[in-house]
Amino acid sequence: MVELSESATGAVRRLIAASGNPAAGLRIMVDQGGCSGLRYLLGLETEPAAGDEIYDWDGVKLFVDPQSLPIIDGIRIDFVDSVGRSGFVFDNPNVRDVCSCGKSFGA
C-alpha cells in the first residue's frame, strides 16, 4: 500500500493544474542512484503503464511499477511547506539506511 497525506494530495492536485498538460496522476518509482544506492523519482503521467499498481487518494491517482512496489510498499508520502524546507517527504518502512545528504537510501 502506498499512502498520500492530505497535504501531499493537495500538492499533487496543484502540480497537475499548473502543468498545462493533461495528467492522469503521479508516478512514484525507485531508481538506482545516489550515495546509498536508491532514490525516489516522481513525475506526472498521462496514463498508467501496463502492470502498474494504481492507488486513488481522494481522486488523485498514484502509479507504481512492479519493480518499485516491493521497495516502497507501506510508504507514506507527505508534503511540507515551511521556512526550513518545502517538498515531498517519504516515510518508508523498508529503508535500512539514508545517505548523509538525505537524497538517497538503501533498502
Side-chain angles (χ1 to χ4, degrees), residues 36-48:
S36 294
L38 299 170
R39 61 188 174 155
Y40 299 110
L41 296 177
L42 299 172
L44 297 178
E45 296 280 341
T46 56
E47 61 185 50

Side-chain angles (χ1 to χ4, degrees), residues 51-102:
D52 277 352
E53 188 73 29
I54 302 170
Y55 299 95
D56 189 308
W57 288 97
D58 196 22
V60 171
K61 291 192 179 356
L62 286 177
F63 308 133
V64 182
D65 65 273
Q67 293 78 25
S68 298
L69 187 58
I71 300 168
I72 63 172
D73 190 32
I75 196 171
R76 184 172 197 281
I77 304 169
D78 195 9
F79 185 84
V80 296
D81 192 9
S82 66
V83 175
R85 71 181 198 191
S86 180
F88 290 99
V89 178
F90 306 95
D91 182 12
N92 186 344
N94 303 307
V95 170
R96 287 186 322 228
D97 59 328
V98 178
C99 70
S100 60
C101 70

